[in-house]
Amino acid sequence: MELLPLVCLCLLSCSGDAVRVLVEQDSDAVLPCLISPKRNLSGKAFDWKKDESRKEKKEVFLYDAGLHYNNGRTGQDEQFKGRVSFFEDELQNGNASIKIQNTKMADSGNYSCDFPRLQSQTSIIELVVDQVLRDRTGEVSGAAPEPYISTLEDRNLWSLLQCEAHGDPLPTLKWEDSDNNTLPAAKTKISEREGRFYITVKITVTKTDNYRCVATQETLSHQVVAVTSVHVQRWVIGVIATSGALIFLPMCYLLCYISQLCGSVSECDCCTSIILLSPKSRMMEVEEG
């Protein structure tokens, strides 16, 4: 296995002897460790640990003359079991680098690479895992299912929408429009039903659009979205000169009427059925209806 393409998956930044490796959550991370001067490590030992505190370290990967955690050796921390490998073909070049697969937020931290039976030489690596919020339903326990959207009121000028979700931990909710703008919503309400906690957020919308309710659980890196379409019919007051009657018209009807009076018929999908009539007959029909 070639090391260089794998290293290129990570962004490395160096400061003195320390190396920082930056990766996105769920991707693989290569932590570099090279002995100097170069020598064959096949019959030697190298030990990777993760610092949890000044006194506590987690066993990440230990190689000792061919025996390691992936072929029977015990002692590896549960956090890293089945996710850490080394580059066997590179041992002859003094390369003790490892790869951590499917990185998690908990993997962020400082790692050390030591050579116990060689001269004192330690590599310090800082791993930074950037969080990726995505739908993890079915992958992690407690992940919130898709939020439930309902329309509480539907009027000519506005609609009242409600979004509800549950999960453990309790998710946060927000409303967005089709441009991903976060919309101001009413006060969040939390309730309990049948041993489950629910979070509810209402919002009043005044324009036609696709609205998204986004449920997020930061600690689980989980985010799930529900979408609803809303059509808001805008009404205006108009005065018909032929009769003096005061009537209510949808905005699009009035625009079509004005455009025909001006001799310019433009596209207006919402009133296609009536633009074939003359302005006078059309307005008379609206009055009579």
Side-chain angles (χ1 to χ4, degrees), residues 27-66:
S27 64
D28 298 342
V30 173
L31 307 188
C33 181
L34 301 171
I35 193 169
S36 180
K38 184 174 70 173
R39 66 184 68 186
N40 191 337
L41 296 175
S42 298
K44 307 298 182 181
F46 59 88
D47 189 13
W48 279 91
K49 297 180 186 290
K50 180 179 184 293
D51 294 341
E52 290 300 300
S53 64
R54 290 184 178 181
K55 297 182 179 181
E56 182 185 0
K57 294 180 182 291
K58 286 185 175 181
E59 276 291 341
V60 179
F61 192 82
L62 175 60
Y63 174 94
D64 191 353

Side-chain angles (χ1 to χ4, degrees), residues 221-254:
S221 299
H222 173 62
Q223 188 171 84
V224 62
V225 178
V227 181
T228 188
S229 297
V230 175
H231 180 74
V232 177
Q233 183 74 286
R234 293 175 178 268
W235 293 80
V236 296
I237 296 177
V239 177
I240 306 304
T242 56
S243 63
L246 183 64
I247 65 170
F248 291 91
L249 288 175
M251 178 68 79
C252 65
Y253 284 15
L254 185 62

Side-chain angles (χ1 to χ4, degrees), residues 150-223:
S150 56
T151 301
L152 301 183
E153 291 189 63
D154 190 10
R155 303 296 180 90
N156 287 326
L157 291 173
W158 53 270
S159 290
L160 178 62
L161 307 178
Q162 175 177 282
C163 181
E164 184 177 70
H166 66 87
D168 184 20
L170 193 67
T172 60
L173 285 183
K174 67 176 179 179
W175 281 98
E176 294 179 343
D177 61 17
S178 59
D179 294 324
N180 296 324
N181 297 313
T182 300
L183 305 175
K187 185 177 180 180
T188 300
K189 179 183 177 182
I190 298 176
S191 59
E192 182 180 4
R193 298 196 300 273
E194 299 179 352
R196 287 186 174 184
F197 287 95
Y198 290 77
I199 180 171
T200 303
V201 176
K202 298 177 183 178
I203 187 172
T204 300
V205 296
T206 58
K207 68 175 184 177
T208 298
D209 202 353
N210 293 323
Y211 294 93
R212 297 159 26 104
C213 178
V214 184
T216 304
Q217 292 164 296
E218 290 277 352
T219 56
L220 301 182
S221 299
H222 173 62
Q223 188 171 84

Side-chain angles (χ1 to χ4, degrees), residues 120-132:
S120 177
Q121 183 174 317
T122 301
S123 295
I124 305 298
I125 311 295
E126 180 188 7
L127 175 61
V128 179
V129 181
D130 285 338
Q131 186 175 49
V132 175

Side-chain angles (χ1 to χ4, degrees), residues 253 255-265 271-289:
Y253 284 15
L255 292 177
C256 287
Y257 175 62
I258 294 174
S259 65
Q260 282 202 358
L261 287 179
C262 297
S264 172
V265 182
C271 53
T272 304
S273 61
I274 63 172
I275 61 173
L276 299 177
L277 302 172
S278 67
K280 181 176 180 181
S281 63
R282 177 170 71 254
M283 301 314 292
M284 292 290 289
E285 181 183 68
V286 172
E287 283 186 311
E288 293 172 358

